[in-house]
Amino acid sequence: TDYESILVETTGRVGWITLNRPEALNALNSTLIREIVEAATAFDADPGIGAIVITGSAKAFAAGADIKEMADQGYIDMYLNDPFARWGEFGRLRTPVIAAVAGFALGGGCELAMMADLIIAADTAKFGQPEINLGVIPGIGGTQRLPRAIGKYKAADLILTGRTMGAEEAERAGLVSRIVPADDLLTEVAAVAETIASKSLPVVYAAKDALQAAQETALAEGLRFEKQAFTAAFGLDDQKEGMAAFRDKRPAEFTHR
Ligand code: HXC
């Protein structure tokens, strides 16, 4: 498929989506959003893909929603023709997603990173929700996912002042899974993605699903969900293989069954 604003590549069982609007620091316009969602859902439908990486450039993961595209929209325009409606599909992918973030991840860019399962950041990464400076508030999850990730008080500091935070602060706060030197970002991310993609696909789906439940439900309901998903794993060939391999002191060879 030919895309205008992203690059798409497959290496082994890993699907890569690279945002490619350098002239606008990967600002998320409607074309870019549609293409990301299309590429990601295509990877998600492919059982040959066990992990998805979304990344930008050295300067910007994404500098937010496209301000120039939004500036003249009115209330009714945003309601009837919501350019962000399809992000829901991205948030519901079964396949684990790693956001590989270098440079700016601001506004919708930070929110896109937070839709991923892991955020691996270059030491150059800068996160923030600067919408308040533009006379709006975050609109694709920032006010909900950020406090869940870093707590209410740190999230309020970012969302109400519009300041940005660097990779170190973001890691301390719990927004970032790991920090790596900028030059090593894609190598490190590839290794993590390959590790995830080497596991049993249905078990990875179950683990992601249960992690999602932790974000969305109260503890008792989440524990019930986990118990069901854990028990269901015992119906899989891969559980038999994983535990047999441990007993035999050899690496497991999962068949994704
Ligand atoms: C449109 C953008 C853009 C954006 C950058 N550009 N961010 N265009 N939307 N969000 C464009 C600039 O206009 C410029 O193009 C080019 O990219 C390079 O940007 P510069 O500003 O020249 O770069 P620099 O001086 O290095 O500053 C980088 C920056 C700054 C600090 C990241 O660009 C910036 O503050 N951008 C906006 C960040 C922001 O407010 N994001 C939140 C958006 S609202 P030209 O052609 O002019 O030179 C949002 C809401 C989400 O995300 C929720 C919606 C429901």
Side-chain angles (χ1 to χ4, degrees):
T1 320
D2 267 352
Y3 292 111
E4 191 181 310
S5 304
I6 59 172
L7 305 171
V8 173
E9 194 191 348
T10 302
T11 58
R13 291 179 50 77
V14 179
W16 294 77
I17 299 171
T18 303
L19 280 55
N20 188 30
R21 277 192 82 202
E23 71 285 0
L25 302 183
N26 294 329
L28 302 160
N29 65 4
S30 31
T31 303
L32 184 48
I33 294 170
R34 177 172 43 75
E35 291 185 348
I36 292 169
V37 173
E38 278 173 14
T41 49
F43 280 141
D44 199 46
D46 179 353
I49 296 294
I52 298 169
V53 176
I54 182 151
T55 193
S57 68
K59 177 150 192 218
F61 177 72
D66 191 312
I67 299 167
K68 293 163 190 168
E69 197 181 71
M70 278 185 301
D72 296 327
Q73 304 293 307
Y75 173 88
I76 204 70
D77 305 318
M78 294 304 277
Y79 245 103
L80 294 183
N81 190 19
D82 177 2
F84 308 106
R86 292 197 66 190
W87 278 135
E89 291 173 59
F90 191 85
R92 285 190 298 276
L93 298 172
R94 304 167 299 172
T95 313
V97 179
I98 302 176
V101 177
F104 297 109
L106 301 179
C110 186
E111 293 169 301
L112 172 58
M114 288 191 288
M115 280 184 250
D117 299 287
L118 283 79
I119 301 179
I120 300 185
D123 47 17
T124 58
K126 290 180 204 69
F127 297 88
Q129 298 288 163
E131 288 90 342
I132 200 95
N133 300 327
L134 300 166
V136 292
I137 70 169
I140 49 175
T143 65
Q144 303 304 301
R145 290 197 176 96
L146 195 59
R148 282 168 170 80
I150 68 177
K152 171 188 161 179
Y153 299 99
K154 194 90 182 166
D157 181 355
L158 290 158
I159 290 169
L160 297 179
T161 71
R163 77 174 176 91
T164 61
M165 69 176 167
E168 295 269 337
E169 184 183 359
E171 191 196 30
R172 270 202 312 278
L175 182 62
V176 161
S177 313
R178 326 182 174 183
I179 304 182
V180 287
D183 288 344
D184 304 338
L185 179 66
L186 295 184
T187 316
E188 175 85 4
V189 166
V192 176
E194 281 158 21
T195 300
I196 294 171
S198 75
K199 314 299 183 194
S200 166
L201 192 58
V203 178
V204 166
Y205 287 166
K208 170 163 176 164
D209 225 9
L211 282 160
Q212 293 276 93
Q215 299 294 301
E216 293 166 4
T217 64
L219 182 61
E221 196 186 330
L223 290 172
R224 259 194 303 277
F225 183 93
E226 182 193 68
K227 174 67 76 184
Q228 288 300 329
F230 168 77
T231 307
F234 286 79
L236 292 170
D237 295 347
D238 283 341
Q239 173 270 331
K240 297 289 170 292
E241 165 60 13
M243 294 193 182
F246 175 80
R247 263 195 321 229
D248 301 347
K249 301 187 189 297
R250 59 169 175 85
E253 281 187 38
F254 294 122
T255 56
H256 314 293
R257 295 281 153 197

